[in-house]
Amino acid sequence: MGNWIINHGLTAFILFLWMGINIFLFVYFYFFYDLPDRFFYTRHLLSSALAWARAPAAVLNFNCMLILLPVCRNLLSLIRGSFMCCGRTMRKQLDKNLSFHKLVAYMIGLMTAVHTVAHLLNVEWYNNSIRGEYDRLSTALSMLEDDPDDNTTYLNPIRSNSTTPTYFVFTTIAGLTGVVITLALILIITSSMEVIRRSYFEVFWYTHHLFVIFFAGLVFHGAGRIVRSQTASSLEEHNITLCKDQPENWGKIPECPIPQFAGGFPQTWMWVIGPMVIYLFERLLRFIRYMQKVTYRKIVMHPSKVLELQLVKAGFKMEVGQYVFLNCPSISQLEWHPFTMTSAPEEDFFSVHIRSAGDWTDKLIEMVQNLPEGGQGPKMGVDGPFGTASEDVFDYEVSMLVGAGIGVTPFASILKSIWYKFKDSNPKLRTRKIYFYWLCRETHAFEWFADLLQVQEKEMEERGMGDFLTYKLYLTGWDQSHAAHAMVHFDKDTDIITGLKQKTHYGRPNWDKEFEQVRKENPSSVVGTFLCGPAALAKVLEKKCVKYSDVDPRRTKFYFNKENF
Amino acid sequence: MGKIEWAMWANEQALASGLIYLTGGIVGVAGQFMGWQFAAFGIAAGVFVCLLEYPRSKRSKGTSVERTGQYCFTVCVKAFGPLTRNYYVRAFLHAALCVPGGFMLATVLGCVCLGIASLIYLSAAIHGEHWEPILPKKEPAKRIGESIKQPPQNPPPRPPPELRRKRAEDLESAAYVNPIAVTANEY
């Protein structure tokens, strides 16, 4: 339980706070419309659908204000920078920005549904009252018109008894903007489903820009002031309890003057204007970043279609485990794609490894391959760096790094950085030994990483520190032909798949054996275990860390860290 | 990532439209709105669209993700053969289904959404896509080892290696003659 509070306490607190505000707004505005006398006549026409429409509206205002903030990545970077003193847990919350964005979006979807259904009922009931299908009072209220001579103001926004609800909705500001922004929202939601987002990013990306229409419509949605209530001065003169039963006498007896109504002040724009301005600045900043000059230091084409770009940009400072967004205007002016950086902060450039995975990456690789000898690459815009640095690795004497599949990418930067710090005997580095485990289903996609390991292996051997880094590769997806191939080449010095000194293992690692070995080799060390991979593996490693840690302070201890990159 | 398969988005959009159509229909019927008969149609159309669209199509490339428990729906939808396979049919079906929804407010949203879904399906059909069921992969039937049908031509006890090795220049004399006649097992 203590562990849980340390790891998830703040997240849970933020969620409780958010949910609490949502519930408060809903309940507060429900009773705001359901209890007071000034809505008595409005409620007589609409009954509780009035409150059921207005309460979700308030929650929608709040969530529409929030939804833009988590996607302002430069704003988050700024906040992260100013929280430097407040520790990691605070900063790590900011890395969950997209989960929060989704959560807020779900709430918007739900509240939109309630709001829309309630308004469907409202429009229908307004229309029925003006047609005189309800009691005398409803008809009388609906017949009130804006007439300065008679000193009347209207309550029912439907002014004609020969119209249809559909016609009414498409001819009023609130109705028309409501339909348009609901449609925009539906399209945004359907194109953001996991299947689409993961497989056809362009569809998701371009459809999401309907948010411009959504916010434009949202700002004007309340401008028609359709929800009307009895004015305060009218309430004083016009006693509801007395007058509600004799609408035919309104304006005829002094106790019951004709009630006066006024529309509510539109509030939505006040909620969303701030985040809209912030988001505008965010896009402006992205544009400035995009205009800044980025030069190519080196372009390397690795086997299995992996492109390495080494870039230089003035004033760019990175940390291990961070990522950047790249924009290549000759492919697409609008698309920004994230890439984990694979260079170390100690290097005077930053590099990304781009694997052929889709239209964008394919086009980039093709363009680079067709470059003339020594030519500069296509113009590239760089936004970033983003993400929390994963510097904990350097705090442990011994580090066990476990990468699974694509999760190996951030370790490129970490390994490089450790290597540089070790070379310069940087006092910040306490690491003496690194165990690196790499589990993957198929190696061919990650050959470039083996490349990098190979270079490090060679350099370390030259310096006579071969035992600083121990790495083990596990191929989890293999068949008989792999095994036969390995058996044939058993005597070779280097591995047949990766070309590394270490032979690839087939199948999953036996963690008991690995932990036992680490404990034996480092009998009195504090070992940090770092995982970048699936949750199932995290559970296994967490248990092993506990199992192999010794209470005796002089013996080996394992600490588990899960990095989310 | 690769080529965009429009049908995937069309499917999400159509499923959502089905739900919205259904919801609008329920509101219209329950509230006894003017022209609630259209809403009743909306309920039927919404349910039908949901049932039709629930089973996701197989992607032309890469892993296909099934919706929870879509298997029985897949089988039913597959039974209609070319009618459900062809996306032109879906595009026109959805376009036809959405029209009555336009006659009353409660189903207008469902109508427009389904119309958009129909347009996306049309684009999918023009791009040459079609619906493919996601069925559990059949384990390839294990081939019976050849050796069962054809027993070793040289069963033990074998002659010493120098006799066994065939000399290329003199195949006739190198051939080893089996002491026992060899035939396939016959049961």
Side-chain angles (χ1 to χ4, degrees), chain A residues 124 127 166 186 190-191 193 195 199-200 357, chain B residues 1 5 9 12-13 20 33-34 56 59 105:
Chain A
E124 189 72 20
N127 195 44
T166 317
I186 291 167
T190 58
S191 64
M193 291 293 133
V195 166
S199 316
Y200 318 105
Chain B
M1 236 173 265
E5 281 179 75
W9 182 27
E12 298 287 345
Q13 176 70 21
I20 294 163
F33 283 13
M34 237 192 329
R56 205 178 263 151
R59 284 173 58 196
L105 184 63

mmCIF file with all atom_site columns, all heavy atoms in Angstrom, chain A residues 124 127 166 186 190-191 193 195 199-200 357, chain B residues 1 5 9 12-13 20 33-34 56 59 105:
data_model
loop_
_atom_site.group_PDB
_atom_site.id
_atom_site.type_symbol
_atom_site.label_atom_id
_atom_site.label_alt_id
_atom_site.label_comp_id
_atom_site.label_asym_id
_atom_site.label_entity_id
_atom_site.label_seq_id
_atom_site.pdbx_PDB_ins_code
_atom_site.Cartn_x
_atom_site.Cartn_y
_atom_site.Cartn_z
_atom_site.occupancy
_atom_site.B_iso_or_equiv
_atom_site.pdbx_formal_charge
_atom_site.auth_seq_id
_atom_site.auth_comp_id
_atom_site.auth_asym_id
_atom_site.auth_atom_id
_atom_site.pdbx_PDB_model_num
ATOM 1   N N   . GLU A 1 124 ? -38.676 19.900 -28.568 1.00 0.00 ? 124 GLU A N   1
ATOM 2   C CA  . GLU A 1 124 ? -39.973 19.279 -28.846 1.00 0.00 ? 124 GLU A CA  1
ATOM 3   C C   . GLU A 1 124 ? -41.055 19.873 -27.941 1.00 0.00 ? 124 GLU A C   1
ATOM 4   O O   . GLU A 1 124 ? -42.159 20.196 -28.380 1.00 0.00 ? 124 GLU A O   1
ATOM 5   C CB  . GLU A 1 124 ? -39.851 17.764 -28.624 1.00 0.00 ? 124 GLU A CB  1
ATOM 6   C CG  . GLU A 1 124 ? -41.053 16.977 -29.075 1.00 0.00 ? 124 GLU A CG  1
ATOM 7   C CD  . GLU A 1 124 ? -41.186 16.898 -30.594 1.00 0.00 ? 124 GLU A CD  1
ATOM 8   O OE1 . GLU A 1 124 ? -40.173 17.112 -31.287 1.00 0.00 ? 124 GLU A OE1 1
ATOM 9   O OE2 . GLU A 1 124 ? -42.305 16.642 -31.069 1.00 0.00 ? 124 GLU A OE2 1
ATOM 10  N N   . ASN A 1 127 ? -41.982 23.377 -28.801 1.00 0.00 ? 127 ASN A N   1
ATOM 11  C CA  . ASN A 1 127 ? -42.814 23.378 -30.004 1.00 0.00 ? 127 ASN A CA  1
ATOM 12  C C   . ASN A 1 127 ? -44.248 22.956 -29.681 1.00 0.00 ? 127 ASN A C   1
ATOM 13  O O   . ASN A 1 127 ? -45.216 23.534 -30.170 1.00 0.00 ? 127 ASN A O   1
ATOM 14  C CB  . ASN A 1 127 ? -42.200 22.446 -31.044 1.00 0.00 ? 127 ASN A CB  1
ATOM 15  C CG  . ASN A 1 127 ? -42.798 22.674 -32.423 1.00 0.00 ? 127 ASN A CG  1
ATOM 16  O OD1 . ASN A 1 127 ? -42.960 23.817 -32.821 1.00 0.00 ? 127 ASN A OD1 1
ATOM 17  N ND2 . ASN A 1 127 ? -43.145 21.602 -33.110 1.00 0.00 ? 127 ASN A ND2 1
ATOM 18  N N   . THR A 1 166 ? -37.084 20.665 -36.391 1.00 0.00 ? 166 THR A N   1
ATOM 19  C CA  . THR A 1 166 ? -35.904 20.613 -37.248 1.00 0.00 ? 166 THR A CA  1
ATOM 20  C C   . THR A 1 166 ? -35.632 21.983 -37.847 1.00 0.00 ? 166 THR A C   1
ATOM 21  O O   . THR A 1 166 ? -34.495 22.468 -37.817 1.00 0.00 ? 166 THR A O   1
ATOM 22  C CB  . THR A 1 166 ? -36.120 19.594 -38.380 1.00 0.00 ? 166 THR A CB  1
ATOM 23  O OG1 . THR A 1 166 ? -36.720 18.431 -37.815 1.00 0.00 ? 166 THR A OG1 1
ATOM 24  C CG2 . THR A 1 166 ? -34.827 19.236 -39.043 1.00 0.00 ? 166 THR A CG2 1
ATOM 25  N N   . ILE A 1 186 ? -18.149 14.007 -33.151 1.00 0.00 ? 186 ILE A N   1
ATOM 26  C CA  . ILE A 1 186 ? -18.337 12.594 -33.490 1.00 0.00 ? 186 ILE A CA  1
ATOM 27  C C   . ILE A 1 186 ? -17.242 12.135 -34.457 1.00 0.00 ? 186 ILE A C   1
ATOM 28  O O   . ILE A 1 186 ? -16.636 11.075 -34.280 1.00 0.00 ? 186 ILE A O   1
ATOM 29  C CB  . ILE A 1 186 ? -19.736 12.363 -34.083 1.00 0.00 ? 186 ILE A CB  1
ATOM 30  C CG1 . ILE A 1 186 ? -20.793 12.557 -33.007 1.00 0.00 ? 186 ILE A CG1 1
ATOM 31  C CG2 . ILE A 1 186 ? -19.848 10.958 -34.672 1.00 0.00 ? 186 ILE A CG2 1
ATOM 32  C CD1 . ILE A 1 186 ? -22.199 12.666 -33.545 1.00 0.00 ? 186 ILE A CD1 1
ATOM 33  N N   . THR A 1 190 ? -14.623 9.158  -33.672 1.00 0.00 ? 190 THR A N   1
ATOM 34  C CA  . THR A 1 190 ? -14.547 7.890  -34.418 1.00 0.00 ? 190 THR A CA  1
ATOM 35  C C   . THR A 1 190 ? -13.181 7.714  -35.075 1.00 0.00 ? 190 THR A C   1
ATOM 36  O O   . THR A 1 190 ? -12.712 6.597  -35.211 1.00 0.00 ? 190 THR A O   1
ATOM 37  C CB  . THR A 1 190 ? -15.632 7.797  -35.503 1.00 0.00 ? 190 THR A CB  1
ATOM 38  O OG1 . THR A 1 190 ? -15.495 8.896  -36.395 1.00 0.00 ? 190 THR A OG1 1
ATOM 39  C CG2 . THR A 1 190 ? -17.009 7.785  -34.918 1.00 0.00 ? 190 THR A CG2 1
ATOM 40  N N   . SER A 1 191 ? -12.549 8.821  -35.460 1.00 0.00 ? 191 SER A N   1
ATOM 41  C CA  . SER A 1 191 ? -11.244 8.657  -36.104 1.00 0.00 ? 191 SER A CA  1
ATOM 42  C C   . SER A 1 191 ? -10.118 8.563  -35.085 1.00 0.00 ? 191 SER A C   1
ATOM 43  O O   . SER A 1 191 ? -8.970  8.401  -35.453 1.00 0.00 ? 191 SER A O   1
ATOM 44  C CB  . SER A 1 191 ? -10.979 9.804  -37.063 1.00 0.00 ? 191 SER A CB  1
ATOM 45  O OG  . SER A 1 191 ? -10.892 11.006 -36.339 1.00 0.00 ? 191 SER A OG  1
ATOM 46  N N   . MET A 1 193 ? -10.231 6.285  -32.595 1.00 0.00 ? 193 MET A N   1
ATOM 47  C CA  . MET A 1 193 ? -10.229 4.938  -32.020 1.00 0.00 ? 193 MET A CA  1
ATOM 48  C C   . MET A 1 193 ? -8.852  4.324  -32.214 1.00 0.00 ? 193 MET A C   1
ATOM 49  O O   . MET A 1 193 ? -8.177  4.591  -33.201 1.00 0.00 ? 193 MET A O   1
ATOM 50  C CB  . MET A 1 193 ? -11.284 4.083  -32.712 1.00 0.00 ? 193 MET A CB  1
ATOM 51  C CG  . MET A 1 193 ? -12.692 4.511  -32.384 1.00 0.00 ? 193 MET A CG  1
ATOM 52  S SD  . MET A 1 193 ? -13.063 4.221  -30.668 1.00 0.00 ? 193 MET A SD  1
ATOM 53  C CE  . MET A 1 193 ? -13.815 5.748  -30.202 1.00 0.00 ? 193 MET A CE  1
ATOM 54  N N   . VAL A 1 195 ? -7.647  1.630  -33.222 1.00 0.00 ? 195 VAL A N   1
ATOM 55  C CA  . VAL A 1 195 ? -7.352  0.980  -34.498 1.00 0.00 ? 195 VAL A CA  1
ATOM 56  C C   . VAL A 1 195 ? -6.909  1.995  -35.544 1.00 0.00 ? 195 VAL A C   1
ATOM 57  O O   . VAL A 1 195 ? -5.934  1.807  -36.263 1.00 0.00 ? 195 VAL A O   1
ATOM 58  C CB  . VAL A 1 195 ? -8.615  0.244  -34.981 1.00 0.00 ? 195 VAL A CB  1
ATOM 59  C CG1 . VAL A 1 195 ? -8.494  -0.154 -36.417 1.00 0.00 ? 195 VAL A CG1 1
ATOM 60  C CG2 . VAL A 1 195 ? -8.869  -0.959 -34.135 1.00 0.00 ? 195 VAL A CG2 1
ATOM 61  N N   . SER A 1 199 ? -2.963  2.672  -36.782 1.00 0.00 ? 199 SER A N   1
ATOM 62  C CA  . SER A 1 199 ? -2.655  2.146  -38.112 1.00 0.00 ? 199 SER A CA  1
ATOM 63  C C   . SER A 1 199 ? -2.699  3.203  -39.197 1.00 0.00 ? 199 SER A C   1
ATOM 64  O O   . SER A 1 199 ? -1.963  3.123  -40.162 1.00 0.00 ? 199 SER A O   1
ATOM 65  C CB  . SER A 1 199 ? -3.627  1.028  -38.464 1.00 0.00 ? 199 SER A CB  1
ATOM 66  O OG  . SER A 1 199 ? -3.799  0.162  -37.378 1.00 0.00 ? 199 SER A OG  1
ATOM 67  N N   . TYR A 1 200 ? -3.584  4.174  -39.058 1.00 0.00 ? 200 TYR A N   1
ATOM 68  C CA  . TYR A 1 200 ? -3.714  5.167  -40.128 1.00 0.00 ? 200 TYR A CA  1
ATOM 69  C C   . TYR A 1 200 ? -3.631  6.531  -39.489 1.00 0.00 ? 200 TYR A C   1
ATOM 70  O O   . TYR A 1 200 ? -4.629  7.241  -39.372 1.00 0.00 ? 200 TYR A O   1
ATOM 71  C CB  . TYR A 1 200 ? -5.034  4.978  -40.885 1.00 0.00 ? 200 TYR A CB  1
ATOM 72  C CG  . TYR A 1 200 ? -5.337  3.529  -41.148 1.00 0.00 ? 200 TYR A CG  1
ATOM 73  C CD1 . TYR A 1 200 ? -6.293  2.861  -40.419 1.00 0.00 ? 200 TYR A CD1 1
ATOM 74  C CD2 . TYR A 1 200 ? -4.606  2.827  -42.098 1.00 0.00 ? 200 TYR A CD2 1
ATOM 75  C CE1 . TYR A 1 200 ? -6.530  1.525  -40.627 1.00 0.00 ? 200 TYR A CE1 1
ATOM 76  C CE2 . TYR A 1 200 ? -4.832  1.489  -42.303 1.00 0.00 ? 200 TYR A CE2 1
ATOM 77  C CZ  . TYR A 1 200 ? -5.803  0.842  -41.575 1.00 0.00 ? 200 TYR A CZ  1
ATOM 78  O OH  . TYR A 1 200 ? -6.021  -0.487 -41.763 1.00 0.00 ? 200 TYR A OH  1
ATOM 79  N N   . ALA A 1 357 ? 8.251   2.704  -41.492 1.00 0.00 ? 357 ALA A N   1
ATOM 80  C CA  . ALA A 1 357 ? 7.049   2.165  -40.853 1.00 0.00 ? 357 ALA A CA  1
ATOM 81  C C   . ALA A 1 357 ? 5.768   2.688  -41.468 1.00 0.00 ? 357 ALA A C   1
ATOM 82  O O   . ALA A 1 357 ? 4.688   2.273  -41.096 1.00 0.00 ? 357 ALA A O   1
ATOM 83  C CB  . ALA A 1 357 ? 7.068   2.486  -39.365 1.00 0.00 ? 357 ALA A CB  1
ATOM 84  N N   . MET B 2 1   ? 2.797   1.412  -41.135 1.00 0.00 ? 1   MET B N   1
ATOM 85  C CA  . MET B 2 1   ? 1.497   2.048  -41.339 1.00 0.00 ? 1   MET B CA  1
ATOM 86  C C   . MET B 2 1   ? 1.000   1.773  -42.758 1.00 0.00 ? 1   MET B C   1
ATOM 87  O O   . MET B 2 1   ? 0.130   0.977  -42.981 1.00 0.00 ? 1   MET B O   1
ATOM 88  C CB  . MET B 2 1   ? 1.624   3.539  -41.107 1.00 0.00 ? 1   MET B CB  1
ATOM 89  C CG  . MET B 2 1   ? 0.676   4.042  -40.060 1.00 0.00 ? 1   MET B CG  1
ATOM 90  S SD  . MET B 2 1   ? 0.993   5.740  -39.694 1.00 0.00 ? 1   MET B SD  1
ATOM 91  C CE  . MET B 2 1   ? 2.056   5.600  -38.276 1.00 0.00 ? 1   MET B CE  1
ATOM 92  N N   . GLU B 2 5   ? -6.614  2.433  -45.088 1.00 0.00 ? 5   GLU B N   1
ATOM 93  C CA  . GLU B 2 5   ? -7.812  1.653  -45.412 1.00 0.00 ? 5   GLU B CA  1
ATOM 94  C C   . GLU B 2 5   ? -9.006  2.434  -44.891 1.00 0.00 ? 5   GLU B C   1
ATOM 95  O O   . GLU B 2 5   ? -9.256  2.480  -43.690 1.00 0.00 ? 5   GLU B O   1
ATOM 96  C CB  . GLU B 2 5   ? -7.742  0.279  -44.744 1.00 0.00 ? 5   GLU B CB  1
ATOM 97  C CG  . GLU B 2 5   ? -6.857  -0.695 -45.466 1.00 0.00 ? 5   GLU B CG  1
ATOM 98  C CD  . GLU B 2 5   ? -6.812  -2.032 -44.759 1.00 0.00 ? 5   GLU B CD  1
ATOM 99  O OE1 . GLU B 2 5   ? -7.784  -2.770 -44.847 1.00 0.00 ? 5   GLU B OE1 1
ATOM 100 O OE2 . GLU B 2 5   ? -5.807  -2.306 -44.101 1.00 0.00 ? 5   GLU B OE2 1
ATOM 101 N N   . TRP B 2 9   ? -12.117 3.288  -40.911 1.00 0.00 ? 9   TRP B N   1
ATOM 102 C CA  . TRP B 2 9   ? -12.738 4.471  -40.306 1.00 0.00 ? 9   TRP B CA  1
ATOM 103 C C   . TRP B 2 9   ? -14.241 4.453  -40.576 1.00 0.00 ? 9   TRP B C   1
ATOM 104 O O   . TRP B 2 9   ? -15.046 4.763  -39.693 1.00 0.00 ? 9   TRP B O   1
ATOM 105 C CB  . TRP B 2 9   ? -12.084 5.740  -40.858 1.00 0.00 ? 9   TRP B CB  1
ATOM 106 C CG  . TRP B 2 9   ? -12.615 7.000  -40.253 1.00 0.00 ? 9   TRP B CG  1
ATOM 107 C CD1 . TRP B 2 9   ? -13.164 7.133  -39.009 1.00 0.00 ? 9   TRP B CD1 1
ATOM 108 C CD2 . TRP B 2 9   ? -12.648 8.292  -40.845 1.00 0.00 ? 9   TRP B CD2 1
ATOM 109 N NE1 . TRP B 2 9   ? -13.546 8.427  -38.794 1.00 0.00 ? 9   TRP B NE1 1
ATOM 110 C CE2 . TRP B 2 9   ? -13.234 9.167  -39.909 1.00 0.00 ? 9   TRP B CE2 1
ATOM 111 C CE3 . TRP B 2 9   ? -12.239 8.814  -42.078 1.00 0.00 ? 9   TRP B CE3 1
ATOM 112 C CZ2 . TRP B 2 9   ? -13.417 10.520 -40.178 1.00 0.00 ? 9   TRP B CZ2 1
ATOM 113 C CZ3 . TRP B 2 9   ? -12.431 10.157 -42.330 1.00 0.00 ? 9   TRP B CZ3 1
ATOM 114 C CH2 . TRP B 2 9   ? -13.004 11.002 -41.386 1.00 0.00 ? 9   TRP B CH2 1
ATOM 115 N N   . GLU B 2 12  ? -15.921 2.365  -38.005 1.00 0.00 ? 12  GLU B N   1
ATOM 116 C CA  . GLU B 2 12  ? -16.068 3.036  -36.707 1.00 0.00 ? 12  GLU B CA  1
ATOM 117 C C   . GLU B 2 12  ? -17.186 4.077  -36.779 1.00 0.00 ? 12  GLU B C   1
ATOM 118 O O   . GLU B 2 12  ? -18.026 4.172  -35.883 1.00 0.00 ? 12  GLU B O   1
ATOM 119 C CB  . GLU B 2 12  ? -14.769 3.742  -36.309 1.00 0.00 ? 12  GLU B CB  1
ATOM 120 C CG  . GLU B 2 12  ? -13.568 2.839  -36.114 1.00 0.00 ? 12  GLU B CG  1
ATOM 121 C CD  . GLU B 2 12  ? -13.650 2.022  -34.841 1.00 0.00 ? 12  GLU B CD  1
ATOM 122 O OE1 . GLU B 2 12  ? -14.477 2.367  -33.983 1.00 0.00 ? 12  GLU B OE1 1
ATOM 123 O OE2 . GLU B 2 12  ? -12.892 1.047  -34.718 1.00 0.00 ? 12  GLU B OE2 1
ATOM 124 N N   . GLN B 2 13  ? -17.159 4.847  -37.867 1.00 0.00 ? 13  GLN B N   1
ATOM 125 C CA  . GLN B 2 13  ? -18.143 5.915  -38.028 1.00 0.00 ? 13  GLN B CA  1
ATOM 126 C C   . GLN B 2 13  ? -19.550 5.328  -38.135 1.00 0.00 ? 13  GLN B C   1
ATOM 127 O O   . GLN B 2 13  ? -20.488 5.815  -37.505 1.00 0.00 ? 13  GLN B O   1
ATOM 128 C CB  . GLN B 2 13  ? -17.793 6.737  -39.276 1.00 0.00 ? 13  GLN B CB  1
ATOM 129 C CG  . GLN B 2 13  ? -18.781 7.817  -39.629 1.00 0.00 ? 13  GLN B CG  1
ATOM 130 C CD  . GLN B 2 13  ? -18.766 8.970  -38.640 1.00 0.00 ? 13  GLN B CD  1
ATOM 131 O OE1 . GLN B 2 13  ? -17.799 9.159  -37.927 1.00 0.00 ? 13  GLN B OE1 1
ATOM 132 N NE2 . GLN B 2 13  ? -19.851 9.721  -38.589 1.00 0.00 ? 13  GLN B NE2 1
ATOM 133 N N   . ILE B 2 20  ? -26.001 6.280  -32.456 1.00 0.00 ? 20  ILE B N   1
ATOM 134 C CA  . ILE B 2 20  ? -26.629 7.604  -32.351 1.00 0.00 ? 20  ILE B CA  1
ATOM 135 C C   . ILE B 2 20  ? -28.046 7.567  -32.934 1.00 0.00 ? 20  ILE B C   1
ATOM 136 O O   . ILE B 2 20  ? -28.984 8.128  -32.359 1.00 0.00 ? 20  ILE B O   1
ATOM 137 C CB  . ILE B 2 20  ? -25.756 8.653  -33.070 1.00 0.00 ? 20  ILE B CB  1
ATOM 138 C CG1 . ILE B 2 20  ? -24.427 8.807  -32.335 1.00 0.00 ? 20  ILE B CG1 1
ATOM 139 C CG2 . ILE B 2 20  ? -26.455 9.986  -33.159 1.00 0.00 ? 20  ILE B CG2 1
ATOM 140 C CD1 . ILE B 2 20  ? -23.354 9.487  -33.130 1.00 0.00 ? 20  ILE B CD1 1
ATOM 141 N N   . PHE B 2 33  ? -42.604 12.063 -29.904 1.00 0.00 ? 33  PHE B N   1
ATOM 142 C CA  . PHE B 2 33  ? -42.399 13.284 -30.677 1.00 0.00 ? 33  PHE B CA  1
ATOM 143 C C   . PHE B 2 33  ? -43.297 13.271 -31.898 1.00 0.00 ? 33  PHE B C   1
ATOM 144 O O   . PHE B 2 33  ? -43.774 12.215 -32.321 1.00 0.00 ? 33  PHE B O   1
ATOM 145 C CB  . PHE B 2 33  ? -40.936 13.365 -31.148 1.00 0.00 ? 33  PHE B CB  1
ATOM 146 C CG  . PHE B 2 33  ? -39.983 13.777 -30.068 1.00 0.00 ? 33  PHE B CG  1
ATOM 147 C CD1 . PHE B 2 33  ? -40.367 13.799 -28.741 1.00 0.00 ? 33  PHE B CD1 1
ATOM 148 C CD2 . PHE B 2 33  ? -38.686 14.138 -30.387 1.00 0.00 ? 33  PHE B CD2 1
ATOM 149 C CE1 . PHE B 2 33  ? -39.483 14.176 -27.747 1.00 0.00 ? 33  PHE B CE1 1
ATOM 150 C CE2 . PHE B 2 33  ? -37.806 14.516 -29.404 1.00 0.00 ? 33  PHE B CE2 1
ATOM 151 C CZ  . PHE B 2 33  ? -38.194 14.533 -28.085 1.00 0.00 ? 33  PHE B CZ  1
ATOM 152 N N   . MET B 2 34  ? -43.459 14.472 -32.447 1.00 0.00 ? 34  MET B N   1
ATOM 153 C CA  . MET B 2 34  ? -44.207 14.558 -33.687 1.00 0.00 ? 34  MET B CA  1
ATOM 154 C C   . MET B 2 34  ? -43.520 13.698 -34.733 1.00 0.00 ? 34  MET B C   1
ATOM 155 O O   . MET B 2 34  ? -42.306 13.789 -34.907 1.00 0.00 ? 34  MET B O   1
ATOM 156 C CB  . MET B 2 34  ? -44.228 16.010 -34.153 1.00 0.00 ? 34  MET B CB  1
ATOM 157 C CG  . MET B 2 34  ? -45.613 16.531 -34.329 1.00 0.00 ? 34  MET B CG  1
ATOM 158 S SD  . MET B 2 34  ? -45.622 18.098 -35.190 1.00 0.00 ? 34  MET B SD  1
ATOM 159 C CE  . MET B 2 34  ? -44.118 18.888 -34.748 1.00 0.00 ? 34  MET B CE  1
ATOM 160 N N   . ARG B 2 56  ? -15.571 -6.367 -37.185 1.00 0.00 ? 56  ARG B N   1
ATOM 161 C CA  . ARG B 2 56  ? -14.597 -5.572 -37.922 1.00 0.00 ? 56  ARG B CA  1
ATOM 162 C C   . ARG B 2 56  ? -14.007 -6.411 -39.043 1.00 0.00 ? 56  ARG B C   1
ATOM 163 O O   . ARG B 2 56  ? -13.886 -7.628 -38.918 1.00 0.00 ? 56  ARG B O   1
ATOM 164 C CB  . ARG B 2 56  ? -13.510 -5.139 -36.959 1.00 0.00 ? 56  ARG B CB  1
ATOM 165 C CG  . ARG B 2 56  ? -12.792 -3.896 -37.384 1.00 0.00 ? 56  ARG B CG  1
ATOM 166 C CD  . ARG B 2 56  ? -11.773 -3.513 -36.336 1.00 0.00 ? 56  ARG B CD  1
ATOM 167 N NE  . ARG B 2 56  ? -12.259 -2.509 -35.412 1.00 0.00 ? 56  ARG B NE  1
ATOM 168 C CZ  . ARG B 2 56  ? -11.851 -2.409 -34.153 1.00 0.00 ? 56  ARG B CZ  1
ATOM 169 N NH1 . ARG B 2 56  ? -11.021 -3.296 -33.670 1.00 0.00 ? 56  ARG B NH1 1
ATOM 170 N NH2 . ARG B 2 56  ? -12.296 -1.448 -33.375 1.00 0.00 ? 56  ARG B NH2 1
ATOM 171 N N   . ARG B 2 59  ? -7.793  -6.556 -41.798 1.00 0.00 ? 59  ARG B N   1
ATOM 172 C CA  . ARG B 2 59  ? -6.985  -5.562 -42.506 1.00 0.00 ? 59  ARG B CA  1
ATOM 173 C C   . ARG B 2 59  ? -6.199  -6.246 -43.612 1.00 0.00 ? 59  ARG B C   1
ATOM 174 O O   . ARG B 2 59  ? -5.822  -7.404 -43.491 1.00 0.00 ? 59  ARG B O   1
ATOM 175 C CB  . ARG B 2 59  ? -6.034  -4.878 -41.537 1.00 0.00 ? 59  ARG B CB  1
ATOM 176 C CG  . ARG B 2 59  ? -6.721  -3.859 -40.670 1.00 0.00 ? 59  ARG B CG  1
ATOM 177 C CD  . ARG B 2 59  ? -5.769  -3.334 -39.629 1.00 0.00 ? 59  ARG B CD  1
ATOM 178 N NE  . ARG B 2 59  ? -4.591  -2.752 -40.259 1.00 0.00 ? 59  ARG B NE  1
ATOM 179 C CZ  . ARG B 2 59  ? -3.465  -2.498 -39.597 1.00 0.00 ? 59  ARG B CZ  1
ATOM 180 N NH1 . ARG B 2 59  ? -3.365  -2.806 -38.338 1.00 0.00 ? 59  ARG B NH1 1
ATOM 181 N NH2 . ARG B 2 59  ? -2.441  -1.955 -40.219 1.00 0.00 ? 59  ARG B NH2 1
ATOM 182 N N   . LEU B 2 105 ? -36.283 15.740 -35.849 1.00 0.00 ? 105 LEU B N   1
ATOM 183 C CA  . LEU B 2 105 ? -35.085 16.280 -35.224 1.00 0.00 ? 105 LEU B CA  1
ATOM 184 C C   . LEU B 2 105 ? -34.299 15.222 -34.461 1.00 0.00 ? 105 LEU B C   1
ATOM 185 O O   . LEU B 2 105 ? -33.078 15.169 -34.536 1.00 0.00 ? 105 LEU B O   1
ATOM 186 C CB  . LEU B 2 105 ? -35.476 17.424 -34.292 1.00 0.00 ? 105 LEU B CB  1
ATOM 187 C CG  . LEU B 2 105 ? -34.283 18.127 -33.651 1.00 0.00 ? 105 LEU B CG  1
ATOM 188 C CD1 . LEU B 2 105 ? -33.435 18.781 -34.714 1.00 0.00 ? 105 LEU B CD1 1
ATOM 189 C CD2 . LEU B 2 105 ? -34.724 19.136 -32.629 1.00 0.00 ? 105 LEU B CD2 1
#
